[in-house]
Amino acid sequence: MESAIPEHLRTTRTRHRRIPDDYAPPYPSFVARHKPGVARVVMAYFGVQARDASSKAAGEALAWITTCFESDAGPTHWDRARYIDEAGFSNIVTVAYWDDRAKFDGWFPTARDGWTGDRRALDGVGTFIEVLYPSVEGYETLFSSLGRPEGIAVLADGMSGEVQEHAYWGGMRDRIPLSQTSELAPAGAARAIRDGARIRVIPHDNLCLIRSGQDWVDTEASERNMYLGDVEPVLREGMDFLRDEGRSIGCYANRYMTVTAPDGRPIEKSYGMSWWKSLAALERWAESHPTHVRIFGAAMKYLSTLGPAAKLRLYHEVTVARTDEAFFEYFDCHPQTGMLNAVQRADTA
Amino acid sequence: MESAIPEHLRTTRTRHRRIPDDYAPPYPSFVARHKPGVARVVMAYFGVQARDASSKAAGEALAWITTCFESDAGPTHWDRARYIDEAGFSNIVTVAYWDDRAKFDGWFPTARDGWTGDRRALDGVGTFIEVLYPSVEGYETLFSSLGRPEGIAVLADGMSGEVQEHAYWGGMRDRIPLSQTSELAPAGAARAIRDGARIRVIPHDNLCLIRSGQDWVDTEASERNMYLGDVEPVLREGMDFLRDEGRSIGCYANRYMTVTAPDGRPIEKSYGMSWWKSLAALERWAESHPTHVRIFGAAMKYLSTLGPAAKLRLYHEVTVARTDEAFFEYFDCHPQTGMLNAVQRADTA
């Protein structure tokens, strides 16, 4: 048993964990471990928004960003997924990961210019960029099994052994190294800067992002039926609540995404990604909303019972970012897109 | 909105609450407020254990302790309840409350002597005494409604306004004043001292007691059906788990009690009382055991929806006690009785 916080990120605490030192979780979970030399990572979401996801314009946009990724300074890993949003638009989101901020900074200007900027040549689609570049103290991961990393964990040096800080409410916070000394409270106000069809959003401090995924590729008959019949509908209900009513509880936006193969066809993986006013708001929803409480209860029971025999894979990554660790830009997107929900009006640049 | 911790018990924190300062609970709850002059209270459980609860010996025992209560130094409030334990015995438990330790200390020796001590004249029944006398920093209460205090709250000067620290996991801990500076971790080991048929248990530090009650006296048709049909069976399942399997998770004993009227007939109130190795162990069970998670989820939904219209009343009191704030004595009780479960063997006095 080891701490989710690696040795080199441990510091003198001013804030306590929620569990006693002898706490033993009821089932195993694991976290991604970067090399100690990694100080900061980049999680960059490139979105295409269109009435018709199979349109020529959408296809060209996806092909263009894919080409950008292939440059030397491109991401170490990326994946693509889609969903239909509350306004009826298809959103195809390509998420790219770096563990070298300087490399990203060298790569990004061209991609930004072509996606939401001055040299934009993507007609007929809305586009957006949502990027966090947190220090390694500012985020955490969690995996129910080994062998198939997702998201930022694909870039890691490897996975931990069984960690202690999980399977209780508050584990998410306790796994973030900054929680050793910070409440991670939001500060300031998000604001928007409008420049024609392009809107930049400057978020408040300690904005929170969660990407939380499911992978049922390996499940067989009975487990697959259980996931699709019992778990997924409850998960979907929770995702719909956040999408439609999340604003009232501090969730700016939620996307329940279906992961796609390179040819665009759906594969048996999904993830929810949501932007939150604070880690605390995410905690309150997770702990008290009936749909998520049921999901948590089901997962506890499921993983405690099946243990390593479970073929369903669950993971998430949760980040708390400072204002200067985030970049948001929306071009010709509808007003309920992502972090546009966090601002009341857009100042003209 | 006010803190559950009254002004005069607030201190410079070394440990944080689990919620941000702007947290707003989804429904109201209230706590008991003692006069600032009250420094310590006494919660004394006097149990009778018999194969036949209606036996002459059991009746005589109950009459005897009732007479003791009527003396000038007797408790300010008491109630009586019963349950059938895991070994098939009826246990009739009379709980008495004082808010003056000196008064209790003057009263107790005679009651102890007659109940479990040298002048014991109660033939044919087992008897036990389980007492905590915590400082007001060492316990908390919570009520879903005003107007009918129970337990220690009957002795209070009154009830608070709506408090902030509730309706989230960790609220129980955050309401205990000592949590401002202490982890409330258990320390040391419980031990037993045997003296013939009488066994004294000296608990470890920071033993935890919860009394958690339900009162459906005022409910009408549909709400009553919902409580008895949907909530109570789930509650009972959780209570049965703690009674039968609690030892594995740090619950020494659990009694799911039916409150009785002075004539011994059951009334529409019940409570669970359980002894725990630590507050942390109680937290873990409450947060992760499917039956309690379902109870919490149901209560959240129920109280958020009905609000003040709910006629079901819920309350609890939770205490963390030092070794020198507790007294346990068992006379001719079976080995699975109460805190006898906390000790492996009894040393001979």
Side-chain angles (χ1 to χ4, degrees):
Chain A
M1 188 77 63
E2 54 194 82
S3 173
I5 301 179
E7 182 68 36
H8 69 286
L9 299 182
R10 274 174 229 160
T11 185
T12 304
R13 285 183 175 274
T14 57
R15 296 176 63 85
H16 58 270
R17 296 194 303 184
R18 226 194 131 223
I19 44 163
D21 291 344
D22 64 355
Y23 168 75
Y27 54 86
S29 290
F30 313 89
V31 305
R33 296 285 195 213
H34 295 286
K35 286 199 167 117
V38 175
R40 189 171 289 280
V41 299
V42 181
M43 308 157 170
Y45 292 74
F46 292 88
V48 174
Q49 188 176 80
R51 281 286 177 197
D52 177 7
S54 60
S55 71
K56 184 157 175 281
E60 284 174 357
L62 296 176
W64 185 83
I65 195 73
T66 304
T67 303
C68 288
F69 288 163
E70 286 164 2
S71 87
D72 283 350
T76 309
H77 170 66
W78 62 271
D79 60 33
R80 187 165 283 164
R82 65 167 119 188
Y83 90 120
I84 311 289
D85 70 22
E86 49 270 60
F89 286 81
S90 282
N91 288 253
I92 305 164
V93 180
T94 309
V95 199
Y97 292 94
W98 287 257
D99 62 7
D100 181 332
R101 170 77 189 272
K103 195 170 153 192
F104 171 78
D105 285 347
W107 176 90
F108 185 53
T110 304
R112 179 192 171 193
D113 262 6
W115 200 251
T116 53
D118 295 337
R119 291 194 292 277
R120 189 176 191 275
L122 307 167
D123 285 333
V125 295
T127 49
F128 61 85
I129 302 175
E130 297 174 340
V131 187
L132 296 186
Y133 12 87
S135 75
V136 290
E137 287 89 351
Y139 70 95
E140 60 90 16
T141 64
L142 192 68
F143 286 79
S144 68
S145 59
L146 298 170
R148 193 179 299 162
E150 298 278 354
I152 192 64
V154 174
L155 281 64
D157 189 39
M159 299 296 281
S160 68
E162 296 184 19
V163 298
Q164 187 179 32
E165 299 94 342
H166 77 95
Y168 62 93
W169 300 118
M172 176 169 70
R173 179 180 293 268
D174 286 349
R175 290 186 297 270
I176 299 177
L178 277 177
S179 74
Q180 296 171 100
T181 55
S182 169
E183 188 185 347
L184 300 171
R191 63 194 175 88
I193 301 167
R194 175 180 287 280
D195 174 16
R198 179 169 67 165
I199 302 175
R200 175 99 184 265
V201 176
I202 316 292
H204 55 75
D205 258 334
N206 290 337
L207 178 74
C208 178
L209 168 67
I210 180 167
R211 171 182 174 162
S212 180
Q214 304 73 225
D215 169 347
W216 61 101
V217 171
D218 295 345
T219 59
E220 289 170 16
S222 69
E223 191 181 352
R224 172 174 301 249
N225 288 342
M226 202 207 72
Y227 173 70
L228 294 174
D230 301 339
V231 178
E232 200 281 338
V234 177
L235 174 60
R236 180 175 296 273
E237 205 185 322
M239 296 288 101
D240 288 350
F241 169 82
L242 289 181
R243 181 193 65 197
D244 299 332
E245 299 175 59
R247 262 53 72 215
S248 65
I249 57 162
C251 177
Y252 297 130
N254 183 58
R255 304 178 181 123
Y256 181 34
M257 313 286 305
T258 299
V259 181
T260 55
D263 65 2
R265 285 184 305 185
I267 59 176
E268 292 176 312
K269 296 181 182 184
S270 65
Y271 69 85
M273 71 159 286
S274 47
W275 294 106
W276 292 81
K277 182 174 181 185
S278 65
L279 181 63
L282 171 55
E283 288 176 319
R284 293 293 88 73
W285 172 73
E287 297 174 20
S288 68
H289 195 265
T291 55
H292 192 269
V293 169
R294 281 162 69 194
I295 294 166
F296 181 82
M300 287 281 293
K301 193 170 175 180
Y302 186 70
L303 296 170
S304 294
T305 308
L306 284 185
K311 293 289 189 291
L312 175 67
R313 295 168 181 268
L314 303 172
Y315 72 94
H316 80 203
E317 56 194 44
V318 175
T319 305
V320 177
R322 296 192 315 252
T323 294
D324 64 357
E325 293 175 329
F327 178 92
F328 295 93
E329 201 157 62
Y330 300 85
F331 191 108
D332 214 11
C333 292
H334 67 71
Q336 280 75 53
T337 306
M339 283 293 287
L340 294 179
N341 288 304
V343 289
Q344 295 301 312
R345 59 181 179 78
D347 299 319
T348 302
Chain B
M1 188 78 64
E2 54 195 82
S3 172
I5 301 180
E7 183 67 38
H8 70 286
L9 298 182
R10 275 174 228 159
T11 186
T12 304
R13 284 184 175 275
T14 57
R15 296 176 64 85
H16 57 271
R17 296 195 302 184
R18 228 195 128 221
I19 45 162
D21 290 344
D22 65 355
Y23 167 74
Y27 54 85
S29 290
F30 312 90
V31 305
R33 297 285 195 215
H34 294 287
K35 286 202 168 116
V38 174
R40 189 172 290 279
V41 298
V42 181
M43 307 157 170
Y45 292 75
F46 292 87
V48 174
Q49 188 175 82
R51 282 286 175 198
D52 177 6
S54 59
S55 71
K56 183 157 175 281
E60 284 173 358
L62 296 176
W64 185 83
I65 195 73
T66 304
T67 302
C68 288
F69 288 162
E70 286 163 3
S71 85
D72 283 350
T76 308
H77 170 66
W78 61 273
D79 61 32
R80 186 165 284 164
R82 64 168 114 189
Y83 90 119
I84 310 289
D85 71 22
E86 49 271 60
F89 285 81
S90 281
N91 288 253
I92 304 164
V93 179
T94 308
V95 199
Y97 293 94
W98 288 256
D99 61 7
D100 182 332
R101 170 77 191 272
K103 196 170 151 192
F104 171 77
D105 285 347
W107 175 89
F108 184 54
T110 303
R112 180 191 171 195
D113 261 7
W115 200 252
T116 54
D118 295 337
R119 290 194 294 277
R120 189 177 192 277
L122 307 168
D123 285 333
V125 296
T127 50
F128 60 84
I129 302 176
E130 298 174 340
V131 187
L132 296 186
Y133 11 86
S135 76
V136 290
E137 287 89 351
Y139 71 95
E140 60 90 17
T141 64
L142 192 68
F143 286 79
S144 68
S145 59
L146 298 171
R148 194 178 300 162
E150 297 277 355
I152 192 64
V154 175
L155 281 65
D157 189 38
M159 300 296 281
S160 69
E162 295 184 19
V163 297
Q164 187 178 32
E165 299 93 341
H166 76 96
Y168 62 92
W169 300 116
M172 176 169 70
R173 179 180 293 267
D174 286 350
R175 289 187 297 271
I176 299 176
L178 277 176
S179 74
Q180 297 171 100
T181 55
S182 169
E183 188 186 346
L184 300 171
R191 64 194 175 87
I193 302 167
R194 176 181 287 279
D195 174 15
R198 179 169 68 166
I199 303 175
R200 175 98 183 263
V201 175
I202 314 292
H204 55 75
D205 258 332
N206 290 337
L207 178 73
C208 178
L209 168 67
I210 180 168
R211 171 182 173 162
S212 181
Q214 302 75 225
D215 169 348
W216 62 101
V217 170
D218 296 345
T219 59
E220 289 171 16
S222 70
E223 191 182 350
R224 172 175 301 250
N225 287 343
M226 203 207 74
Y227 173 69
L228 293 174
D230 300 340
V231 179
E232 199 281 338
V234 177
L235 173 61
R236 180 175 297 273
E237 206 185 321
M239 295 290 100
D240 288 351
F241 170 82
L242 288 181
R243 181 193 65 196
D244 298 333
E245 298 175 61
R247 261 54 71 214
S248 65
I249 57 163
C251 177
Y252 296 130
N254 183 58
R255 303 178 181 126
Y256 181 34
M257 313 286 304
T258 299
V259 180
T260 54
D263 65 2
R265 286 184 305 185
I267 59 176
E268 293 177 313
K269 297 181 180 184
S270 65
Y271 68 85
M273 71 159 285
S274 47
W275 294 106
W276 292 81
K277 183 175 180 184
S278 66
L279 181 64
L282 171 55
E283 288 176 320
R284 294 291 88 73
W285 172 73
E287 297 174 20
S288 67
H289 195 264
T291 54
H292 191 270
V293 169
R294 281 163 68 195
I295 295 166
F296 181 81
M300 288 282 291
K301 193 170 174 180
Y302 185 71
L303 295 171
S304 295
T305 308
L306 285 186
K311 294 288 189 292
L312 176 67
R313 295 167 180 269
L314 304 172
Y315 72 93
H316 80 202
E317 56 195 44
V318 175
T319 304
V320 177
R322 296 192 315 252
T323 295
D324 64 357
E325 294 174 327
F327 178 92
F328 295 93
E329 202 157 63
Y330 300 85
F331 191 107
D332 213 11
C333 293
H334 67 71
Q336 280 76 50
T337 306
M339 284 291 290
L340 293 179
N341 288 304
V343 288
Q344 296 299 313
R345 60 182 178 79
D347 300 318
T348 303

